[in-house]
Amino acid sequence: MNVIPTTIADVLILEPKVFGDERGFFFESYNDKVFQQAVGIEPHFVQDNHSFSRQGVVRGLHYQIQHPQGKLVRVARGEIFDVAVDLRRNSPSFGQWVGCVLNDHNKRQLWIPAGFAHGFAVLSPEAEVLYKATDYYAPSYERTLLWNDPAIGIDWSLTTTPLLSLKDQRGLPLAEAEVFDF
């Protein structure tokens, strides 16, 4: 596995070894031992999530103020621009974001540790996103950071008005959001 650092030290792009020929391809989307060696941590994934979205959808920026989730995100079909925002108050990168394109061709994955808000924009006509989480979904602790907060300044590179859920439309700006004290 190739590990690519991002501008935020704890968020990593992971490129698995892909074996392909005229029949198609094969790769290990997750191997606990390889992940631990590559990333240097020993996560305990407890939940797998799968979403389907159409082009122009923006999902997020979501996080859980208690039971925070680390996420390993990949795309099974289509293409997204995946984003993580550091919400760890004591971090040198607090309030900063990092993003990368994940798609079914590059097979890249984004490791987002606990303490970050996560979201993505769908760039292809459709996309199926799969991600592993290190804690269970806890709706009473879920929070939404405003996807277009100018204080964060995410460059989503959108060419149309995004399709947003009501929850995502009501996200809070960073200045009003609950954040993590670790």
Coordinates of all heavy atoms in Angstrom, one line a residue, residues 87-150:
L87 N -11.4 19.5 13.5 CA -12.2 20.1 14.5 C -11.6 19.9 15.9 O -12.3 20.0 16.9 CB -13.6 19.6 14.5 CG -14.4 20.0 13.2 CD1 -15.8 19.5 13.3 CD2 -14.4 21.5 13.0
R88 N -10.3 19.5 16.0 CA -9.6 19.3 17.2 C -9.0 20.6 17.7 O -8.0 21.1 17.2 CB -8.5 18.2 17.1 CG -9.1 16.9 16.5 CD -8.0 16.0 16.1 NE -7.2 16.6 15.0 CZ -6.1 16.1 14.5 NH1 -5.5 15.0 15.0 NH2 -5.4 16.8 13.5
R89 N -9.7 21.2 18.7 CA -9.3 22.6 19.1 C -7.8 22.7 19.4 O -7.3 23.8 19.2 CB -10.1 22.9 20.4 CG -9.9 24.3 20.9 CD -10.6 24.6 22.2 NE -11.9 24.0 22.4 CZ -13.1 24.5 22.0 NH1 -13.1 25.7 21.3 NH2 -14.2 23.9 22.2
N90 N -7.2 21.7 19.9 CA -5.7 21.8 20.3 C -4.8 21.4 19.2 O -3.6 21.4 19.4 CB -5.5 21.0 21.5 CG -6.3 21.5 22.7 OD1 -6.4 22.7 22.9 ND2 -6.8 20.5 23.5
S91 N -5.3 21.2 18.0 CA -4.5 20.8 16.8 C -3.9 22.0 16.1 O -4.6 23.1 16.0 CB -5.3 20.0 15.9 OG -4.7 19.9 14.6
P92 N -2.7 22.0 15.6 CA -2.1 23.1 14.9 C -2.9 23.3 13.6 O -2.8 24.4 13.0 CB -0.7 22.7 14.6 CG -0.6 21.2 14.9 CD -1.7 20.9 15.8
S93 N -3.6 22.3 13.1 CA -4.4 22.5 11.9 C -5.9 22.7 12.1 O -6.7 22.5 11.2 CB -4.2 21.3 10.9 OG -4.4 20.1 11.6
F94 N -6.3 23.1 13.4 CA -7.7 23.3 13.7 C -8.3 24.3 12.7 O -7.8 25.3 12.3 CB -7.8 23.9 15.1 CG -9.2 24.3 15.5 CD1 -10.1 23.3 15.7 CD2 -9.6 25.6 15.5 CE1 -11.5 23.7 16.1 CE2 -10.9 26.0 15.8 CZ -11.8 25.0 16.1
G95 N -9.5 23.9 12.2 CA -10.3 24.7 11.2 C -9.8 24.6 9.8 O -10.4 25.2 8.9
Q96 N -8.7 23.8 9.6 CA -8.2 23.7 8.2 C -8.9 22.4 7.6 O -9.3 21.5 8.2 CB -6.7 23.5 8.2 CG -6.0 24.8 8.7 CD -4.5 24.6 8.7 OE1 -3.9 23.7 8.1 NE2 -3.8 25.3 9.6
W97 N -8.9 22.4 6.2 CA -9.5 21.3 5.5 C -8.5 20.7 4.5 O -7.5 21.4 4.1 CB -10.7 21.8 4.8 CG -10.4 22.7 3.7 CD1 -10.3 24.1 3.8 CD2 -10.3 22.4 2.3 NE1 -10.0 24.6 2.5 CE2 -10.0 23.6 1.6 CE3 -10.3 21.2 1.5 CZ2 -9.8 23.7 0.2 CZ3 -10.1 21.3 0.1 CH2 -9.9 22.5 -0.5
V98 N -8.7 19.5 4.2 CA -8.0 18.8 3.1 C -9.0 18.0 2.3 O -10.0 17.5 2.8 CB -6.9 17.9 3.7 CG1 -7.5 16.7 4.5 CG2 -6.0 17.3 2.6
G99 N -8.7 18.0 1.0 CA -9.6 17.2 0.1 C -8.9 16.5 -1.0 O -7.7 16.9 -1.3
C100 N -9.5 15.5 -1.5 CA -8.9 14.7 -2.6 C -10.0 14.0 -3.4 O -11.1 13.8 -2.9 CB -7.9 13.7 -2.1 SG -8.5 12.3 -1.3
V101 N -9.6 13.8 -4.7 CA -10.6 13.0 -5.5 C -10.4 11.6 -5.3 O -9.3 11.0 -5.4 CB -10.3 13.4 -7.0 CG1 -11.1 12.5 -8.0 CG2 -10.6 14.9 -7.3
L102 N -11.5 10.9 -5.0 CA -11.6 9.5 -4.9 C -12.5 9.0 -6.0 O -13.6 9.5 -6.2 CB -12.2 9.0 -3.6 CG -11.5 9.5 -2.3 CD1 -12.2 9.0 -1.1 CD2 -10.0 9.1 -2.3
N103 N -12.1 7.9 -6.7 CA -13.0 7.4 -7.7 C -12.7 5.9 -7.9 O -11.8 5.3 -7.3 CB -12.8 8.1 -9.1 CG -11.4 8.1 -9.6 OD1 -10.8 7.1 -9.7 ND2 -11.0 9.3 -10.1
D104 N -13.5 5.3 -8.8 CA -13.4 3.8 -9.0 C -12.2 3.5 -9.9 O -11.9 2.3 -10.1 CB -14.7 3.3 -9.6 CG -15.2 3.9 -10.8 OD1 -14.5 4.9 -11.3 OD2 -16.3 3.5 -11.3
H105 N -11.5 4.5 -10.5 CA -10.4 4.2 -11.3 C -9.1 4.3 -10.5 O -8.2 3.4 -10.5 CB -10.3 5.2 -12.5 CG -11.4 5.1 -13.4 ND1 -11.6 4.0 -14.2 CD2 -12.4 5.9 -13.7 CE1 -12.8 4.1 -14.9 NE2 -13.3 5.3 -14.6
N106 N -8.9 5.3 -9.6 CA -7.7 5.4 -8.9 C -7.7 4.6 -7.6 O -6.7 4.3 -7.0 CB -7.4 6.9 -8.5 CG -8.3 7.6 -7.6 OD1 -9.0 6.9 -6.8 ND2 -8.4 8.9 -7.6
K107 N -8.9 4.1 -7.2 CA -9.0 3.2 -6.0 C -8.4 3.7 -4.8 O -8.2 3.0 -3.8 CB -8.5 1.8 -6.4 CG -8.9 1.3 -7.7 CD -9.6 0.0 -7.6 CE -10.0 -0.6 -9.0 NZ -10.5 0.3 -10.0
R108 N -8.2 5.0 -4.7 CA -7.6 5.6 -3.5 C -8.7 5.6 -2.4 O -9.9 5.6 -2.6 CB -7.2 7.1 -3.8 CG -6.0 7.2 -4.6 CD -5.6 8.7 -4.8 NE -4.3 8.8 -5.2 CZ -3.7 10.0 -5.5 NH1 -4.3 11.1 -5.3 NH2 -2.4 10.0 -5.9
Q109 N -8.1 5.6 -1.2 CA -8.9 5.7 0.0 C -8.4 6.9 0.9 O -7.3 7.2 0.8 CB -8.9 4.4 0.8 CG -9.3 3.2 0.0 CD -9.1 1.9 0.8 OE1 -9.6 1.8 1.9 NE2 -8.5 1.0 0.2
L110 N -9.3 7.5 1.6 CA -8.9 8.6 2.5 C -9.1 8.1 3.9 O -10.3 7.7 4.3 CB -9.7 9.8 2.2 CG -9.3 11.1 2.9 CD1 -7.9 11.5 2.4 CD2 -10.2 12.3 2.7
W111 N -8.1 8.2 4.7 CA -8.2 7.9 6.2 C -8.4 9.2 6.9 O -7.5 10.1 6.8 CB -6.9 7.2 6.7 CG -6.8 7.2 8.2 CD1 -5.9 7.8 8.9 CD2 -7.7 6.6 9.1 NE1 -6.1 7.6 10.3 CE2 -7.3 6.9 10.4 CE3 -8.9 5.9 9.0 CZ2 -7.9 6.5 11.6 CZ3 -9.6 5.4 10.1 CH2 -9.1 5.7 11.4
I112 N -9.5 9.3 7.6 CA -9.9 10.5 8.4 C -10.0 10.1 9.8 O -10.9 9.3 10.2 CB -11.2 11.1 7.9 CG1 -11.1 11.4 6.4 CG2 -11.6 12.3 8.7 CD1 -12.5 11.7 5.7
P113 N -9.1 10.5 10.7 CA -9.2 10.0 12.1 C -10.3 10.7 12.8 O -10.9 11.7 12.3 CB -7.8 10.4 12.7 CG -7.3 11.5 11.8 CD -7.9 11.3 10.4
A114 N -10.7 10.2 14.0 CA -11.7 10.9 14.8 C -11.2 12.3 15.1 O -10.1 12.6 15.2 CB -11.8 10.1 16.1
G115 N -12.2 13.2 15.2 CA -12.0 14.6 15.5 C -12.1 15.5 14.3 O -11.8 16.7 14.3
F116 N -12.6 14.9 13.2 CA -12.7 15.6 11.9 C -14.2 15.6 11.5 O -14.9 14.6 11.7 CB -11.9 15.0 10.8 CG -10.4 15.3 10.9 CD1 -9.6 14.6 11.9 CD2 -9.8 16.2 10.1 CE1 -8.3 14.9 12.0 CE2 -8.4 16.5 10.2 CZ -7.7 15.8 11.2
A117 N -14.6 16.7 10.8 CA -15.9 16.6 10.1 C -15.6 16.1 8.7 O -14.5 16.3 8.1 CB -16.5 18.0 10.0
H118 N -16.5 15.4 8.1 CA -16.3 14.7 6.8 C -17.5 15.1 5.9 O -18.7 15.1 6.3 CB -16.3 13.2 7.0 CG -16.3 12.5 5.7 ND1 -17.3 11.7 5.3 CD2 -15.3 12.4 4.7 CE1 -17.0 11.1 4.1 NE2 -15.9 11.6 3.7
G119 N -17.2 15.3 4.6 CA -18.2 15.5 3.6 C -17.6 15.2 2.2 O -16.4 15.0 2.1
F120 N -18.5 15.2 1.2 CA -18.0 15.0 -0.1 C -19.0 15.6 -1.1 O -20.2 15.7 -0.8 CB -17.8 13.5 -0.5 CG -18.9 12.6 -0.3 CD1 -19.8 12.4 -1.4 CD2 -19.1 11.8 0.8 CE1 -20.9 11.5 -1.3 CE2 -20.2 11.0 0.9 CZ -21.1 10.8 -0.2
A121 N -18.5 15.9 -2.3 CA -19.3 16.4 -3.4 C -19.2 15.3 -4.5 O -18.1 14.8 -4.8 CB -18.8 17.7 -3.9
V122 N -20.3 15.0 -5.2 CA -20.3 14.0 -6.2 C -20.0 14.7 -7.5 O -20.7 15.6 -8.0 CB -21.7 13.3 -6.3 CG1 -21.7 12.2 -7.4 CG2 -22.0 12.6 -4.9
L123 N -19.0 14.2 -8.2 CA -18.5 14.8 -9.5 C -19.0 14.0 -10.7 O -19.1 14.6 -11.8 CB -17.0 14.8 -9.5 CG -16.3 15.5 -8.3 CD1 -14.8 15.4 -8.4 CD2 -16.8 17.0 -8.2
S124 N -19.3 12.7 -10.6 CA -19.7 11.9 -11.7 C -21.3 11.9 -11.7 O -21.9 12.3 -10.8 CB -19.2 10.5 -11.5 OG -19.5 10.0 -10.3
P125 N -21.8 11.3 -12.8 CA -23.3 11.2 -12.8 C -23.9 10.5 -11.6 O -25.0 10.9 -11.1 CB -23.6 10.5 -14.1 CG -22.4 10.8 -15.0 CD -21.2 10.9 -14.1
E126 N -23.2 9.5 -11.1 CA -23.7 8.8 -9.9 C -22.4 8.4 -9.1 O -21.4 8.2 -9.8 CB -24.5 7.6 -10.2 CG -25.8 7.9 -10.9 CD -26.6 6.7 -11.3 OE1 -26.0 5.6 -11.5 OE2 -27.8 6.8 -11.5
A127 N -22.6 8.1 -7.8 CA -21.4 7.6 -7.1 C -21.9 6.8 -5.9 O -22.9 7.1 -5.3 CB -20.6 8.8 -6.5
E128 N -21.2 5.7 -5.7 CA -21.4 4.8 -4.5 C -20.1 4.9 -3.7 O -19.0 4.7 -4.1 CB -21.7 3.4 -4.9 CG -23.0 3.2 -5.6 CD -23.4 1.8 -5.8 OE1 -23.4 1.0 -4.8 OE2 -23.8 1.5 -6.9
V129 N -20.4 5.4 -2.4 CA -19.3 5.6 -1.5 C -19.4 4.6 -0.4 O -20.5 4.4 0.2 CB -19.3 7.1 -0.9 CG1 -18.2 7.3 0.1 CG2 -19.3 8.1 -2.1
L130 N -18.3 4.0 0.0 CA -18.2 3.0 1.1 C -17.2 3.5 2.1 O -16.2 4.0 1.7 CB -17.7 1.7 0.5 CG -18.6 1.0 -0.6 CD1 -17.7 0.2 -1.5 CD2 -19.7 0.2 0.0
Y131 N -17.6 3.4 3.3 CA -16.6 3.8 4.4 C -16.8 3.0 5.6 O -17.9 2.6 6.0 CB -16.5 5.3 4.6 CG -17.8 5.9 5.1 CD1 -18.0 6.1 6.5 CD2 -18.8 6.3 4.2 CE1 -19.2 6.7 6.9 CE2 -19.9 7.0 4.7 CZ -20.1 7.1 6.0 OH -21.3 7.7 6.4
K132 N -15.6 2.7 6.2 CA -15.6 2.0 7.5 C -15.5 3.0 8.6 O -14.9 4.1 8.4 CB -14.3 1.1 7.6 CG -14.2 0.0 6.5 CD -13.0 -0.8 6.7 CE -13.1 -2.2 6.5 NZ -14.4 -2.8 6.5
A133 N -16.1 2.8 9.7 CA -16.1 3.7 10.8 C -15.7 3.0 12.1 O -15.9 1.8 12.3 CB -17.5 4.3 11.1
T134 N -15.0 3.8 13.0 CA -14.4 3.2 14.2 C -15.3 3.3 15.4 O -15.0 2.8 16.5 CB -13.1 4.0 14.6 OG1 -13.4 5.4 14.7 CG2 -12.0 3.8 13.5
D135 N -16.5 3.9 15.2 CA -17.5 3.9 16.3 C -18.9 3.9 15.6 O -19.0 4.2 14.4 CB -17.4 5.1 17.2 CG -17.9 4.9 18.6 OD1 -18.8 4.0 18.8 OD2 -17.4 5.6 19.5
Y136 N -19.9 3.5 16.4 CA -21.2 3.4 15.8 C -21.9 4.7 15.6 O -21.5 5.7 16.3 CB -22.1 2.6 16.8 CG -21.6 1.2 17.0 CD1 -20.9 0.8 18.1 CD2 -21.8 0.2 16.0 CE1 -20.4 -0.5 18.2 CE2 -21.3 -1.1 16.1 CZ -20.6 -1.4 17.2 OH -20.1 -2.7 17.4
Y137 N -22.8 4.8 14.7 CA -23.6 6.0 14.4 C -24.4 6.3 15.7 O -25.1 5.5 16.2 CB -24.5 5.8 13.2 CG -25.4 6.9 12.9 CD1 -24.9 8.2 12.7 CD2 -26.8 6.8 13.0 CE1 -25.7 9.3 12.4 CE2 -27.6 7.8 12.7 CZ -27.1 9.1 12.4 OH -27.9 10.1 12.2
A138 N -24.3 7.5 16.1 CA -25.0 8.0 17.3 C -25.7 9.3 17.0 O -25.2 10.4 17.1 CB -24.0 8.2 18.5
P139 N -27.0 9.2 16.5 CA -27.7 10.3 16.0 C -27.8 11.5 17.0 O -27.8 12.6 16.6 CB -29.0 9.8 15.5 CG -29.1 8.4 15.9 CD -27.7 7.9 16.4
S140 N -27.9 11.2 18.2 CA -28.1 12.3 19.2 C -26.8 13.1 19.3 O -26.9 14.3 19.8 CB -28.5 11.8 20.6 OG -27.6 10.9 21.1
Y141 N -25.7 12.6 18.9 CA -24.4 13.3 19.0 C -23.9 13.8 17.7 O -22.9 14.4 17.6 CB -23.3 12.5 19.6 CG -23.7 12.0 21.1 CD1 -23.8 10.7 21.4 CD2 -23.8 13.0 22.1 CE1 -24.2 10.3 22.7 CE2 -24.1 12.6 23.3 CZ -24.3 11.3 23.7 OH -24.6 11.0 24.9
E142 N -24.7 13.6 16.6 CA -24.3 14.0 15.3 C -24.4 15.5 15.2 O -25.4 16.1 15.6 CB -25.1 13.3 14.2 CG -24.7 13.7 12.8 CD -25.5 13.0 11.7 OE1 -26.7 12.9 11.9 OE2 -24.8 12.7 10.7
R143 N -23.5 16.1 14.5 CA -23.4 17.5 14.3 C -23.1 17.8 12.8 O -22.5 16.9 12.2 CB -22.4 18.3 15.2 CG -22.6 18.1 16.7 CD -23.9 18.7 17.2 NE -24.0 18.6 18.6 CZ -24.7 17.7 19.3 NH1 -25.2 16.7 18.6 NH2 -24.7 17.7 20.6
T144 N -23.5 18.9 12.3 CA -23.2 19.3 10.9 C -22.5 20.6 10.9 O -23.1 21.6 11.4 CB -24.5 19.3 10.1 OG1 -25.1 18.0 10.2 CG2 -24.2 19.6 8.6
L145 N -21.4 20.7 10.3 CA -20.6 21.9 10.0 C -21.1 22.4 8.7 O -21.3 21.7 7.7 CB -19.2 21.6 10.0 CG -18.2 22.7 9.9 CD1 -18.2 23.6 11.2 CD2 -16.7 22.1 9.8
L146 N -21.3 23.7 8.6 CA -21.8 24.4 7.4 C -20.8 24.1 6.2 O -19.6 24.4 6.3 CB -21.9 25.9 7.6 CG -22.5 26.6 6.4 CD1 -23.9 26.2 6.1 CD2 -22.5 28.1 6.7
W147 N -21.3 23.5 5.2 CA -20.4 23.0 4.1 C -19.7 24.1 3.3 O -18.6 23.9 2.8 CB -21.3 22.2 3.1 CG -22.2 23.1 2.3 CD1 -23.5 23.5 2.7 CD2 -22.0 23.6 1.0 NE1 -24.0 24.3 1.7 CE2 -23.2 24.4 0.7 CE3 -21.0 23.5 0.1 CZ2 -23.3 25.1 -0.5 CZ3 -21.1 24.2 -1.1 CH2 -22.2 25.0 -1.4
N148 N -20.3 25.3 3.4 CA -19.7 26.4 2.6 C -19.3 27.6 3.5 O -19.3 28.8 3.1 CB -20.6 26.9 1.5 CG -21.9 27.5 2.1 OD1 -22.2 27.3 3.2 ND2 -22.7 28.1 1.2
D149 N -18.9 27.3 4.8 CA -18.5 28.3 5.7 C -17.3 29.1 5.2 O -16.2 28.5 4.9 CB -18.2 27.7 7.1 CG -17.7 28.6 8.2 OD1 -17.7 29.9 7.9 OD2 -17.5 28.2 9.3
P150 N -17.4 30.4 5.0 CA -16.3 31.1 4.4 C -15.0 31.1 5.3 O -13.9 31.3 4.9 CB -16.8 32.5 4.2 CG -18.1 32.6 4.8 CD -18.6 31.2 5.1

